[in-house]
Amino acid sequence: MSREQDRTILRELAKRQLEISQSIKNQERILLWKAHNAFQPSAPVVHVEIDTFEQEILPSLLRCEGEEARAAERELYRNFLNLELFDDDWVVPDYFPVEQSGWFRPFGYEITRTTAADSAGNRLGHRFHYVLADLHEDFEKLTPSEFGFDGAFYQRKERFAQEMFGDILPVRRTMNGLYAVPTQDVVHLMGMENMCFALADYPEEFREMMDRLAEDYLAYFHMLEKEGCLLPTAGFEKVAQGSLCFTEEVLRSGQLATRDVWGFLDSQETVSISPEMFHDFIFPCYRQIASCYGKLSYGCCEPVHPVWEDLKTLPNLRKVSVSPWCDEEFMGEQLRGAQIAYLRKPSPNFLGVGTILEEEEVRKHFRRTARAASGCSLELIQRDVYTINHDVGKVKRYVQLIREVMAECYQP
């Protein structure tokens, strides 16, 4: 297939995205996100992340043959497939975002791993190649972290999209929320078991390691700020965890600082330690990094309720993950009426296990959430579904059930 044929395909998809972005449905859902993020009474926002099961949908749609064209084709589809196929609240921009980011290597190491394929060829199984075996003996390996930004790479992507379809769909450089996951970095470098032993065996070295990691993240973010690499996070940009950055607040003009943008943190790796140890060893690092963000979204799969006494002191906290392992009722009590979104991550089992959607179980699951989160600013973000058994209708029906239950049981 020629470059011109690839260009024709991309231009068709660009027109399709632009038309969907201008639809009444999409415009209404943009307003819903804005109201939700402004903590105005509204229906919950509902989103099903396609990333982890897109291999069951996207490959059969792709027609481009050139490497750059195929990558752009994937991104165009990702911009509007959710709204088309699932009818959830993932909204479609009226431009083609070229998402830029920097890179960060904790203590100077590239995180490497070995993967293993399952019977279907999926390579989810993996193990990391650890650098640290004993924190005390290997402490000298904790060299300064490395970080940077490859502007030329994003210029090439931007230029390609502009040449192919920029006259139809505007091309815009964007940036998602700043991202830091310090305890994940530690586990990737030394393993979960070694991390837990190090907390007990070498407390001072562990504290110093976390302090240095916090300083390195801040140096990385300030480099992005100084070099003018920060872009607004106030609309369609992602803030991690399947959530969006929409805000109606007036943005500061001129070169942006870290305090002008969204940021994200989580600490899934510390679920096995006590709240007291989290407060002593982990939270100082997290508090230091969080202080540079304008707005903070916190948490992934870890239950946040055991460490809420610490998290609630973060003045810029605006979204908090309420995972399947979290005490829903407790978090509802804490967030009711607060300027912090109750970001519910439902169990992935209803979509990811089995071929039949157990509708009454789905309803039961979400009735509990609706009751627990009434009076909170609620968003329902379904993540971690690795197969839908090639059944798009199952996902669409799942979204319909959530909306029905929320209409019946949730009180803004």
Side-chain angles (χ1 to χ4, degrees):
M1 184 181 291
S2 69
R3 178 183 172 91
E4 192 57 37
Q5 288 173 308
D6 281 351
R7 185 172 184 268
T8 298
I9 292 168
L10 294 178
R11 291 175 72 80
E12 290 172 357
L13 289 175
K15 290 177 184 176
R16 192 164 152 194
Q17 179 182 325
L18 185 62
E19 290 171 359
I20 295 171
S21 75
Q22 295 171 342
S23 68
I24 294 174
K25 178 187 291 187
N26 191 59
Q27 294 301 313
E28 289 175 345
R29 291 178 183 176
I30 290 172
L31 293 176
L32 173 63
W33 271 102
K34 289 180 178 180
H36 167 73
N37 279 359
F39 305 104
Q40 298 169 2
S42 65
V45 292
V46 181
H47 171 49
V48 178
E49 267 195 349
I50 193 175
D51 309 47
T52 48
F53 61 86
E54 70 174 27
Q55 72 279 359
E56 297 185 6
I57 298 173
L58 266 181
S60 63
L61 300 175
L62 301 178
R63 294 179 291 153
C64 289
E65 291 187 358
E67 184 178 345
E68 284 183 294
R70 202 167 177 85
E73 186 182 15
R74 281 183 176 274
E75 292 306 316
L76 283 163
Y77 273 120
R78 286 170 179 156
N79 288 338
F80 61 78
L81 271 183
N82 269 71
L83 195 65
E84 264 198 349
L85 298 181
F86 310 146
D87 196 27
D88 68 357
D89 292 321
W90 198 245
V91 287
V92 182
D94 58 358
Y95 58 88
F96 181 79
V98 175
E99 297 177 356
Q100 70 172 32
S101 63
W103 53 270
F104 182 87
R105 297 191 187 110
F107 301 115
Y109 295 100
E110 187 77 51
I111 304 299
T112 61
R113 60 184 176 179
T114 298
T115 62
D118 62 16
S119 59
N122 299 313
R123 306 191 71 85
L124 295 176
H126 60 271
R127 66 177 177 84
F128 292 97
H129 302 150
Y130 301 137
V131 175
L132 308 175
D134 180 280
L135 183 59
H136 179 70
E137 294 180 1
D138 294 336
F139 200 76
E140 63 183 21
K141 293 182 179 181
L142 299 181
T143 56
S145 298
E146 298 174 355
F147 45 80
F149 178 81
D150 184 1
F153 172 76
Y154 298 105
Q155 287 176 359
R156 290 192 297 271
K157 290 185 66 175
E158 192 174 18
R159 184 166 55 248
F160 177 82
Q162 183 63 44
E163 291 173 355
M164 287 299 211
F165 52 79
D167 57 320
I168 297 172
L169 185 67
V171 178
R172 182 183 303 175
R173 190 88 68 92
T174 66
M175 181 193 85
N176 295 324
L178 297 175
Y179 189 90
V181 284
T183 54
Q184 184 179 101
D185 294 333
V186 170
V187 167
H188 287 175
L189 291 172
M190 68 189 309
M192 185 80 74
E193 185 174 341
N194 279 342
M195 181 188 77
C196 291
F197 277 122
L199 280 162
D201 294 340
Y202 312 118
E204 294 310 313
E205 285 98 330
F206 197 96
R207 288 190 185 93
E208 183 176 345
M209 176 177 64
M210 297 304 294
D211 286 344
R212 287 165 61 177
L213 198 50
E215 291 169 1
D216 288 350
Y217 266 111
L218 291 177
Y220 166 49
F221 294 149
H222 290 148
M223 178 276 293
L224 294 175
E225 176 183 309
K226 181 180 178 181
E227 297 298 320
C229 299
L230 298 182
L231 298 174
T233 56
F236 296 91
E237 299 80 26
K238 305 176 187 72
V239 70
Q241 301 303 301
S243 192
L244 295 173
C245 296
F246 279 104
T247 178
E248 294 279 34
E249 294 179 20
V250 177
L251 294 177
R252 190 168 66 90
S253 60
Q255 186 166 308
L256 296 180
T258 60
R259 65 180 181 275
D260 299 314
V261 301
W262 276 91
F264 173 79
L265 288 163
D266 75 28
S267 187
Q268 300 179 84
E269 299 72 27
T270 53
V271 295
S272 62
I273 72 174
S274 68
E276 292 76 18
M277 290 187 76
F278 179 87
H279 174 82
D280 191 11
F281 292 97
I282 307 301
F283 189 63
C285 165
Y286 277 64
R287 180 176 55 214
Q288 189 175 354
I289 296 171
S291 68
C292 84
Y293 297 150
K295 294 182 176 67
L296 167 66
S297 180
Y298 186 92
C300 187
C301 287
E302 74 270 34
V304 295
H305 64 274
V307 294
W308 182 245
E309 287 301 308
D310 278 327
L311 298 181
K312 71 180 184 181
T313 67
L314 298 172
N316 54 357
L317 182 63
R318 294 296 178 268
K319 296 176 187 275
V320 63
S321 174
V322 182
S323 77
W325 297 274
C326 195
D327 186 329
E328 288 189 80
E329 288 74 19
F330 174 83
M331 291 309 299
E333 293 171 1
Q334 298 301 308
L335 299 178
R336 191 162 292 119
Q339 301 284 290
I340 303 171
Y342 186 113
L343 198 164
R344 174 62 174 162
K345 293 177 58 181
S347 169
N349 293 343
F350 300 106
L351 274 179
V353 178
T355 58
I356 299 173
L357 192 62
E358 300 291 345
E359 295 198 3
E360 189 47 46
E361 291 302 310
V362 173
R363 291 182 184 276
K364 180 180 177 182
H365 187 73
F366 285 98
R367 285 189 192 109
R368 178 178 178 183
T369 296
R371 289 191 289 267
S374 282
C376 303
S377 185
L378 174 62
E379 55 187 279
L380 299 147
I381 309 295
Q382 184 62 71
R383 309 189 74 223
D384 304 320
V385 174
Y386 290 90
T387 178
I388 57 169
N389 291 286
H390 300 271
D391 187 352
V392 169
K394 182 182 180 184
V395 185
K396 187 170 184 178
R397 178 59 181 156
Y398 182 69
V399 172
Q400 290 174 339
L401 289 172
I402 295 172
R403 294 197 195 282
E404 290 173 9
V405 171
M406 292 299 135
E408 294 167 3
C409 305
Y410 170 75
Q411 296 294 324

